[in-house]
Structure formats: C-alpha cells, structure tokens
C-alpha cells in the first residue's frame, strides 16, 4: 500500500510513500495530507470473521490492509498492548443501547477521550517505523490541540525512547479539566505551552512550522526531525477505521441488526478525522447509510454539507464542547481528494488559502452531499440534551456526545430513516464537569472537583481515577506565549 499527498497532481515514484514513511512524516512536503492510493475492499464474509474476534484482533485485521510495512504479528502485538484492559477496562469500544440510539463509547482509555483509541497505538507504530526506515534522527512530535489530543498524545509519548513532544493549546479554548490534565503530565521528554489565540491559530502555527524548510534543516543538523500526532497523520486515522467495523460486529452479535443491514452513523465533528474514518470504512464495504456530521455553534461543516459553501469568514465561538471549536477542519481535504481526486482537491485548497472560502457545486459533484448530512446544535440544545438523556435514561452525556445525540435525533425525525443509528461518544462526562453539572441543575460548585463529586452523587456513576487524581497532581507547566513565537519555542525546546 502506497500513499500520496492530497495536493500532488502528478506523483512520481519517489512521491509515493510507504506506511512507515507517512507515519514518520505526518504531513507531506507540499502541505497536503497523505492518503492511500486505493481503498482496500472487504466483503460481508470478512466482517463475519471479524465478529468472532476480540478488539485487538479486529484492529490487526483492518490495519494490516493499510500498514503493509508491518507484519501481522507486529500489528497484533501493538494492538494487544495498546488496547489492554489495564488501559481501557474490559471493552475499548463498547456499544450501549440508549433509547433508539446505539452509543459507541470510545472514552474508556487513560485520558478519557476517544483520542486514546489512536494515540495509544501511534507511538508504538512510530517506534517500529523508526526501526524499519533506518532513520538515525530522533523525533520531535509537534501537537496543536483543542483539548483532548494534547493529553492523549502526551500520555502516549511520555518517556518514549528517541522521541520528544511539545503541545500547544489555546489558553482560553480548553476546559479547566483538559488543561489540568496536560499541565500535570509527567515525563522527561515533554513540554506544554499555552498560546494566546484559538485552536485554528495553534493548528496553523504548527502547520507553518512543518512547511518551513529553514526550521527543518536547523533541526536535522541537530539530529531531530518533526512529526505529527494530530489527525493530519495517517497513523491517527487508520486506527479509527477499526471501531466502526467493531461496532457493526457488536450490533450484529447483539442482534440489533443482521449482517448486511445498513446503519447510519452520527459523529461529533471538529477536525473531521473521526467521521472521515467512518466514510473510509464505508468505502471499504462496511454497510453505512448517511453519515451525520454533528457540529456545535462553529457550524462551518454543517453549512458546507447543506449548501456546498465552506466559508471561514465568520465568527469563532467558544462553546461547552471545546474539542469541536474549529473552523478549519484539516481532514475535509482528504475527503475531497478521495472522492473527487487530487486535481479537484488541490484547486479548492489553493482557492481556500487565498480567499478563506471555497464552493462545491452540489449538482455537479453530488457524491459527498448524498453521503453526509450536516446538522448543528447550539449551546442550549446541548445542555437540554444532557438533561433529557439523564432524566429519561439515567445516561450521562458529555457535551460533545450531547451535540451528536441532538443531531442524530433531529436527523431521524426529519428523514424517517429506518436504519439503526450508531452515535459516536467521544469523551467521559467527567472531563467537562461544569457544563454537565449546569445542564443537570447542579449549581454552585466552588471548583471543578466539587462539581465532580456532586455529579457522582447525583448520577451514581463513578468518577474515573485518572480525573479525580488530578486534584493532587503538581502543576508543571505555566507558560503562555504569542502564536507568533511558536517556532522559536520549538527550537528552544528541541535543543534543550
Ligand atoms: C477531538 C474530539 C472531537 C472531534 O473529533 P475530530 O476527529 O477532530 O472531528 C469530538 N469530541 C471530542 C471529545 C474530541 O476530543
């Protein structure tokens, strides 16, 4: 399996990279993202065989189709370690029936957000890739985070040999609990920095550093190369394809559906990585109907799928679902490329770079508009959904999952689809205690830890150790910088 850049309209042999190379590089030299040159196809017999397996085996079976530099045994070992019960409890990706939704809980990992599903595995794949390519330099992982990627990447890469990691987060754009998780992280190879600005500032700062030849040359001279743990790295996306197959199997196994039945899927969306993995699973042959792209007030994607216009000339809102506070969703580029080709993708991306918007004619290019439905959910609707699901089903939603549930329910009501609905749940409600407590009318907690305890009392659902333990952890990182100084900070840290 080879990979090319989404912006390379005339790839030469040397531009076609192997899986180990794309995991190491993260982003292509021309600023595009790596995509597989073809999507492997599977049939129902393949899915039937997956359904008899546990999660690590399901993961190895899917990943071996994409990560062909790795042997099946290497992949199985990496998956078995990554999804071990000490890290995820007994089920890394369990499906719960709540009302007429099937909720795929992906947040039982060490940092209590779905980012762990990929970021427990990616460091292992990177270490293997370093060995396979014979690269002599050490890796510096550069991360921009809207809250959850930062912690999950720190947890995955802390104290890993030949790797350093630096995380940039928007100072006012993450929840207190998310911030606390990052600034208390242990490990000798890490650095956590707040920037004045929002997630898009952090992400474009990081992308700029990646495409700056002077910086990469300076680093290479000192024996360091840059790599990415964001979902611009294919090594983040591939592991996310797995849980859509796994959830489908669980629905077959618990007789919610029969093999071959089509399911709809709703995904709370920010950088468009998670829902793109669902799309790719569908392209491979997983029977999926509509993919509902659920957004909060930052509804640029919902608007795009409704009217074909992707327009970032609009206000940016900070919301109770901060991990989705994004206007430039990187992985949309991969969707355009995989569906309409590199030429189409490159033209639109250059137009977008210059004009801050691009438009797709829905009649001429109907494919993605037939597959995706864009729906948004505002702040009140998010909180009302949390309250409703707690009072109706005693089920506690985090704000991101609440956005998805609201959009899924609205989609079903308006479209009368008879398909079963899978809704992806991306974080533990205890990562966002203020917003969840407020939604449930739990008032006047003096800090987030008191909120947690009051929520636990009300719901009877235990606070994860990884969250309650933060109260007594030392704060190690207090620095805030301007987004203009990110490159300087990266150099300082890497030479320390
Ligand atoms: C990252 C994140 C999202 C958005 O996922 P994308 O793959 O960026 O679209 C949604 N919810 C939570 C809790 C997240 O951490």
């Amino acid at each position: 399996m080879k990979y090319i850049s989404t912006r390379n309209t005339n790839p030469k042999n040397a531009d076609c990279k192997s899986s180990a190379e794309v995991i190491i590089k993260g982003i292509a030299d021309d600023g595009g993202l790596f995509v597989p040159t073809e999507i492997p196809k599977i049939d129902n017999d393949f899915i039937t065989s997956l359904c008899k397996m546990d999660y690590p085996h399901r993961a190895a079976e899917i990943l071996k189709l994409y990560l062909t530099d790795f042997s099946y045994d290497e992949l199985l070992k990496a998956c078995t370690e990554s999804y071990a019960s000490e890290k995820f409890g007994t089920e890394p990706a369990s499906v719960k029936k709540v009302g007429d939704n099937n909720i795929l809980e992906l947040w039982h990992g060490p940092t209590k957000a779905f980012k762990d599903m990929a970021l427990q595995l990616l460091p292992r794949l990177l270490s293997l890739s370093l060995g396979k390519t014979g690269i002599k330099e050490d890796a510096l992982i550069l991360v921009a985070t809207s809250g959850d990627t930062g912690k999950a990447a720190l947890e995955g890469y802390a104290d890993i040999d030949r790797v350093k990691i630096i995380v940039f987060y928007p100072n006012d754009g993450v929840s207190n609990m998310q911030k606390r998780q990052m600034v208390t992280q242990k490990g000798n190879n890490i650095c956590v920095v707040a920037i004045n600005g929002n997630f898009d500032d952090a992400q474009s700062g990081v992308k700029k550093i990646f495409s700056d030849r002077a910086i990469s040359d300076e680093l290479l001279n000192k024996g360091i190369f840059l790599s990415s743990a964001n979902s611009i790295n294919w090594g983040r996306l591939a592991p996310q394809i797995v849980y859509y197959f796994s959830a489908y199997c669980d629905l077959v196994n618990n007789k919610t559906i029969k093999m071959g039945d089509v399911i709809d899927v709703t995904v709370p969306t920010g950088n468009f990585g998670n829902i793109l993995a669902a799309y790719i699973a569908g392209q491979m042959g997983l029977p999926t109907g509509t993919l509902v792209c659920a957004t909060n007030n930052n509804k640029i994607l919902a608007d795009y799928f409704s009217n074909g216009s992707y327009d970032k000339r609009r206000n940016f809102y900070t919301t109770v679902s901060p991990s989705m506070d994004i206007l430039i969703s990187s992985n949309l580029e991969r969707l355009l490329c995989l569906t309409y080709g590199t030429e189409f993708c490159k033209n639109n991306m250059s137009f977008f770079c210059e004009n801050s918007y691009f438009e797709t004619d829905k009649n001429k290019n109907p494919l993605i508009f037939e597959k995706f439905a864009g729906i948004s959910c505002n702040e009140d609707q998010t909180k009302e959904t949390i309250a409703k699901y707690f009072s109706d089903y005693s089920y506690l939603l985090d704000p991101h999952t609440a956005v998805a549930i609201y959009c899924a329910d609205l989609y079903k009501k308006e479209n009368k689809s008879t398909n079963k609905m899978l809704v992806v749940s991306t974080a533990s409600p205890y990562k966002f205690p203020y917003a969840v407590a407020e939604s449930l009318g739990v008032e006047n907690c003096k800090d987030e830890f008191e909120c947690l305890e009051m929520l636990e009392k009300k719901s009877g659902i235990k606070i994860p150790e990884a969250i309650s333990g933060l109260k007594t952890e030392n704060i190690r990182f207090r620095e805030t910088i301007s987004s203009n100084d990110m490159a300087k900070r990266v150099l300082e840290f890497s030479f320390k």
Side-chain angles (χ1 to χ4, degrees):
M1 173 70 76
K2 292 288 180 188
Y3 296 82
I4 57 162
S5 163
T6 48
R7 299 183 191 178
N8 190 340
T9 49
N10 183 20
K12 312 267 184 314
N13 270 348
D15 300 333
C16 298
K17 304 287 181 202
S18 72
S19 49
E21 286 174 305
V22 303
I23 285 169
I24 285 175
K25 283 183 75 71
I27 187 168
D29 291 336
D30 60 9
L33 310 184
F34 288 113
V35 283
T37 48
E38 61 179 321
I39 301 291
K41 300 282 190 260
I42 54 87
D43 56 18
N44 284 352
D45 289 345
F46 176 89
I47 304 176
T48 303
S49 69
L50 286 185
C51 293
K52 302 187 185 95
M53 300 175 188
D54 63 8
Y55 195 84
H57 283 82
R58 288 174 184 176
E61 288 293 331
I62 304 279
L63 290 174
K64 79 169 194 229
L65 304 173
Y66 288 98
L67 308 180
T68 48
D69 282 341
F70 305 82
S71 72
Y72 177 78
D73 288 345
E74 284 172 329
L75 290 172
L76 182 61
K77 178 166 182 282
C79 292
T80 304
E81 289 167 5
S82 299
Y83 302 118
S85 57
E86 310 88 74
K87 291 174 181 288
F88 279 87
T90 46
E91 282 291 330
S94 57
V95 180
K96 303 247 163 83
K97 200 166 176 51
V98 183
D100 60 0
N101 287 313
N102 299 282
I103 300 186
L104 173 58
E105 293 182 353
L106 296 176
W107 43 263
H108 294 284
T111 76
K112 305 299 152 199
F114 89 99
K115 303 293 197 292
D116 289 327
M117 297 300 293
L119 282 165
Q120 281 299 307
L121 186 59
L122 185 58
R124 292 180 169 81
L125 297 177
L126 181 71
S127 293
L128 287 168
S129 301
L130 290 176
K132 285 182 189 293
T133 54
I135 279 191
K136 296 282 176 299
E137 290 83 15
D138 291 349
L140 174 61
I141 313 286
L142 205 52
V143 182
T145 185
S146 56
D148 293 326
T149 295
K151 175 62 179 182
L154 289 164
E155 188 76 26
Y157 282 110
D159 291 329
I160 296 270
D161 237 21
R162 296 186 58 191
V163 176
K164 280 184 163 187
I165 170 168
I166 182 164
V167 172
F168 294 101
Y169 69 92
N171 206 10
D172 296 320
V174 302
S175 84
N176 281 342
M177 203 57 91
Q178 288 177 313
K179 182 170 178 170
R180 217 176 168 99
Q181 279 189 307
M182 291 187 275
V183 297
T184 56
Q185 176 70 40
K186 296 195 178 76
N188 290 321
N189 59 339
I190 70 166
C191 180
V192 180
V193 182
I195 63 149
N196 291 314
N198 59 37
F199 171 71
D200 288 314
D201 299 318
Q203 175 159 264
S204 42
V206 160
K207 280 188 178 169
K208 215 151 73 199
I209 297 172
F210 273 116
S211 55
D212 188 327
R213 270 308 275 275
I215 295 182
S216 50
D217 286 349
E218 192 171 345
L219 289 171
L220 270 185
N221 275 334
K222 311 262 179 185
I224 297 164
F225 71 89
L226 289 173
S227 188
S228 170
N230 283 97
S231 56
I232 53 178
N233 191 323
W234 177 255
R236 267 283 298 279
L237 276 191
Q240 298 185 181
I241 299 169
V242 174
Y243 47 70
Y244 292 104
F245 282 91
S246 178
Y248 190 91
C249 280
D250 290 349
L251 291 175
V252 170
N253 287 346
N254 74 17
K255 305 206 161 47
T256 304
I257 56 171
K258 293 190 306 297
M259 179 57 65
D261 284 354
V262 170
I263 59 167
D264 294 331
V265 182
T266 302
V267 185
T269 297
N271 223 1
F272 206 74
N274 203 357
I275 197 167
L276 182 74
Y279 177 75
I280 293 174
Q283 296 299 103
M284 292 170 71
L286 187 72
T288 57
T290 300
L291 305 180
V292 179
C293 175
T295 68
N296 63 24
N297 266 339
N298 297 295
K299 57 192 180 69
I300 184 165
L301 283 165
D303 289 346
Y304 178 63
F305 289 118
S306 309
N307 61 28
S309 167
Y310 193 85
D311 193 339
K312 96 168 164 131
R313 297 167 299 177
R314 62 173 74 207
N315 285 335
F316 176 92
Y317 300 103
T318 50
T319 71
V320 290
S321 44
S323 302
M324 293 150 65
D325 291 345
I326 295 178
L327 293 183
I328 307 172
S329 299
S330 294
N331 282 292
L332 186 65
E333 178 166 351
R334 281 193 168 109
L335 177 69
L336 298 181
C337 176
L338 289 171
T339 314
Y340 302 126
T342 43
E343 189 81 44
F344 181 96
C345 176
K346 186 184 175 194
N347 291 343
N348 280 292
M349 285 302 121
S350 341
F351 189 89
F352 180 67
C353 275
E354 279 182 23
N355 303 289
S356 297
Y357 78 98
F358 69 89
E359 275 164 4
T360 307
D361 186 332
K362 290 173 67 170
N363 296 319
K364 279 199 199 132
N365 305 287
L367 289 178
I368 60 177
F369 301 98
E370 289 162 5
K371 189 70 187 171
F372 289 85
I375 302 182
S376 70
C377 168
N378 68 27
E379 295 288 272
D380 284 344
Q381 291 160 340
T382 307
K383 290 173 192 165
E384 282 159 21
T385 305
I386 294 173
K388 178 177 181 336
Y389 269 68
F390 186 68
S391 83
D392 288 1
Y393 309 110
S394 305
Y395 188 87
L396 209 50
L397 295 166
D398 98 279
H400 304 76
T401 310
V403 166
I405 290 278
Y406 174 87
C407 296
D409 287 343
L410 188 62
Y411 175 80
K412 279 181 288 188
K413 203 165 120 198
E414 289 183 345
N415 293 274
K416 308 202 167 51
S417 171
T418 53
N419 299 339
K420 296 292 182 207
M421 178 64 83
L422 182 72
V423 182
V424 178
S425 174
T426 48
S428 158
Y430 289 126
K431 272 194 106 156
F432 306 92
Y434 275 125
V436 176
E438 194 197 327
S439 309
L440 299 189
V442 174
E443 267 158 26
N444 302 326
C445 24
K446 73 175 189 308
D447 62 23
E448 56 259 58
F449 293 100
E450 196 181 276
C451 270
L452 281 178
E453 276 158 30
M454 289 165 83
L455 276 176
E456 181 178 53
K457 216 187 233 154
K458 188 168 172 107
S459 70
I461 301 164
K462 213 174 151 344
I463 308 167
E465 188 79 33
I467 303 277
S468 56
L470 290 172
K471 191 172 181 174
T472 52
E473 295 285 343
N474 246 346
I475 294 183
R476 296 183 59 201
F477 302 95
R478 298 176 186 276
E479 165 189 20
T480 305
I481 67 170
S482 149
S483 60
N484 297 324
D485 293 334
M486 287 168 63
K488 203 170 105 211
R489 192 65 189 85
V490 166
L491 292 175
E492 254 169 46
F493 171 64
S494 49
F495 299 152
K496 203 176 62 182

